[in-house]
Amino acid sequence: MARCNGGESISSARSSVTSLDAVEEADLIHWINDPNGLGSISGSSSSNDPECYSSSERPVLYNGRTLLVLASGGPWWTRGFDLESCEEGLSRFGIQISPEVYKLPIQATLMSSEVRRYMYFSSSGFMMLFTPVFYLVTWCCLYSTFHVYLSQYLKSFFWAFCLLVSVVAVLLTTALLLILHWQHKKINSNTDLRLMWTNENLVKHNILVGAMDGTKYCSSVLHLCFIYFNIRGCERRLASLLESRRHAGSGLQSLLREKLGHLYIVIETTQVSALNKVVAGSEEAPLLPGNDGGSPSHSSMQPKHVFNTLTSLVPEGTSEEIAYQLLVIYSGYYVKLLAMNQLPHSTASIHTGDAHVPCLCQYIETSILKLSGCES
C-alpha cells in the first residue's frame, strides 16, 4: 500500500505533506464542452480547446456538472497533469480559485512515483497485457503438470486433453478478472482516499475532484475529473439522518465502525533521532545550546527516522461533523463513479436532479451506511 502523508483527521491533513517536488506539465488536457451533459471519459473527450463563454452565455452550473477533465501525459513514468491550466478552465465557468488550493494536495497525493506506479499496475491497460500472459502461463502449468502423470493415457484422446486444459485455463483467467474487477469497484485507499485533502479545500468552492483510469490506443491514461457540487444540502440531510439514528438508540458509532472499519490511511512522520545529542562532558560538545560550530547544514545532516502510523478513518464527533467527514471521505470515489457512468440512473435524486443520478448523501445513505430505512 502506498504511503499517504495525511493528518490525524481530515481537517488536519494540511500540515503533514509539504515537501514533495513539483510535478511537470502534461502534454494533453481534455475539456468537457457540452453545457447540457455530464461528459464522459472517452476518445471524444479529447476535443478542441474549450469555448469562450460570455457572462450571459456561461453554462448553468448544477450538482454533478462536469467542469473539466485533465489527462496525464501517459503511464506512470511520464509527466503528470497540467495543473496550471485548471485556473483558466474553471474561470470559463465563472469559478475563481487560486492554484495553491488544489496544486499542492494533488502533487503530494497522486504525483509521487510509488502512487503512479501502483495506478499503472492496477489500470485497465495493464490488465489487457496481463490477461493473455496469465492465460498462457496457466495453460502451460496445467498441461505440464497433468501430462507427467497421465502421459500413458493421453495418446488416444490427446486433443480432448488439450481442449480440457484450455477450458480450465479460461475459467481460471475469468475468475481472476472477476475478482480484480470486483476489487476495483470498491473505494481505493491509494487513489480515492488520497484526494480527501484536495476535496476538503475545493469543497469550499463547490468543486469536487476524482481520479480515474482510462484507455486510449490500448494504453492506460490517468484522468482527473473536476465537477461542480454544492454539498451544503447533502451535509444537512445526512446530518439529520445520523442524528435520527443517534436518537433512536441504534448505535451510530458501532454502525460507522462496521461500515468504515476497513478504511485506513498510513501517516508518515519524521523525527530527529535522540542519539544525535552529544553526551555531556564530551570534548566536542558545544559550550552553548545551538552552537554547532557555525555550520548551517548541521541540523540538515542529522539522521532522521520515519515512522508510519496506521490511522482509522471512522469519523467521530457530532452528527454535523460526522456528516461532513463522510462527504469528504467518499467525495473522490463518488466523482470517479459519476465520471465513469457507474452510478445508477435516478429520477428521484434530491440534490442532483439535473444529472439524473443519486446525489452524494443518497449514495452514502443507500450504498455505504445502508440507511434506506431512515426517513429522509
Side-chain angles (χ1 to χ4, degrees):
M1 175 178 173
R3 291 174 294 183
C4 179
N5 298 329
E8 289 296 337
S9 62
I10 296 176
S11 59
S12 62
R14 300 178 178 85
S15 61
S16 57
V17 183
T18 55
S19 62
L20 291 180
D21 296 332
V23 68
E24 298 180 356
E25 292 184 354
D27 299 332
L28 186 62
I29 179 171
H30 291 178
W31 300 90
I32 302 300
N33 297 323
D34 181 11
N36 299 316
L38 280 173
S40 60
I41 306 302
S42 63
S44 61
S45 63
S46 57
S47 56
N48 298 327
D49 291 337
E51 302 175 2
C52 296
Y53 299 107
S54 64
S55 58
S56 59
E57 298 175 348
R58 188 169 294 153
V60 178
L61 297 178
Y62 54 86
N63 285 349
R65 172 75 162 86
T66 302
L67 301 178
L68 61 92
V69 178
L70 296 180
S72 64
W76 64 270
W77 58 81
T78 58
R79 295 182 289 178
F81 299 102
D82 186 10
L83 298 177
E84 301 294 340
S85 303
C86 288
E87 184 178 9
E88 179 185 357
L90 295 176
S91 64
R92 297 176 185 272
F93 294 89
I95 302 174
Q96 301 295 332
I97 302 179
S98 174
E100 288 75 15
V101 174
Y102 53 84
K103 190 174 181 180
L104 175 61
I106 292 177
Q107 290 174 354
T109 54
L110 293 182
M111 291 298 99
S112 62
S113 59
E114 57 183 3
V115 176
R116 299 198 67 187
R117 184 165 56 248
Y118 165 82
M119 289 188 286
Y120 172 73
F121 286 114
S122 61
S123 64
S124 57
F126 180 78
M127 287 296 105
M128 295 174 59
L129 301 176
F130 174 77
T131 300
V133 173
F134 179 82
Y135 170 79
L136 291 176
V137 171
T138 304
W139 194 96
C140 293
C141 290
L142 291 174
Y143 177 84
S144 59
T145 300
F146 289 101
H147 189 270
V148 171
Y149 299 100
L150 303 177
S151 57
Q152 56 181 344
Y153 305 104
L154 298 178
K155 296 180 180 179
S156 57
F157 53 93
F158 179 78
W159 63 271
F161 170 73
C162 293
L163 179 61
L164 179 61
V165 170
S166 301
V167 171
V168 175
V170 168
L171 293 178
L172 292 176
T173 305
T174 304
L176 177 64
L177 293 179
L178 291 177
I179 293 174
L180 294 177
H181 178 71
W182 179 73
Q183 290 291 337
H184 288 167
K185 294 179 66 175
K186 294 183 177 181
I187 186 171
N188 195 320
S189 59
N190 290 302
T191 54
D192 304 323
L193 293 183
R194 282 178 166 265
L195 290 171
M196 288 189 302
W197 179 13
T198 308
N199 281 323
E200 189 178 13
N201 293 345
L202 291 177
V203 76
K204 304 171 185 177
H205 305 275
N206 300 330
I207 295 179
L208 297 178
V209 61
M212 68 220 71
D213 169 65
T215 303
K216 182 180 181 181
Y217 303 124
C218 298
S219 62
S220 179
V221 180
L222 182 64
H223 296 83
L224 275 181
C225 180
F226 293 80
I227 71 169
Y228 178 87
F229 204 103
N230 189 337
I231 69 167
R232 305 300 184 272
C234 285
E235 185 177 357
R236 290 192 297 267
R237 180 176 180 272
L238 188 57
S240 176
L241 290 173
L242 296 175
E243 189 65 23
S244 62
R245 177 89 181 192
R246 190 192 300 271
H247 289 165
S250 303
L252 175 60
Q253 206 60 38
S254 61
L255 174 66
L256 294 175
R257 284 193 295 267
E258 176 186 354
K259 302 299 182 180
L260 284 78
H262 63 285
L263 298 181
Y264 289 89
I265 57 173
V266 178
I267 300 176
E268 182 181 282
T269 57
T270 304
Q271 295 181 1
V272 179
S273 174
L275 298 177
N276 299 329
K277 299 180 179 180
V278 182
V279 180
S282 173
E283 295 181 356
E284 298 181 359
L287 297 178
L288 297 176
N291 184 9
D292 55 0
S295 176
S297 61
H298 175 73
S299 58
S300 61
M301 294 175 60
Q302 293 179 350
K304 298 180 180 180
H305 297 277
V306 178
F307 300 92
N308 293 330
T309 305
L310 197 63
T311 303
S312 174
L313 291 180
V314 177
E316 297 179 351
T318 64
S319 299
E320 291 76 13
E321 294 172 346
I322 294 176
Y324 175 75
Q325 294 179 35
L326 286 173
L327 293 174
V328 173
I329 290 174
Y330 284 95
S331 56
Y333 183 54
Y334 177 83
V335 174
K336 180 177 71 172
L337 296 178
L338 177 64
M340 298 181 70
N341 296 323
Q342 293 184 1
L343 289 174
H345 182 81
S346 174
T347 57
S349 176
I350 299 177
H351 303 117
T352 53
D354 294 331
H356 304 293
V357 293
C359 62
L360 183 53
C361 66
Q362 285 179 301
Y363 176 77
I364 295 176
E365 174 195 0
T366 58
S367 301
I368 306 301
L369 300 180
K370 311 293 184 181
L371 297 176
S372 57
C374 298
E375 297 181 359
S376 54

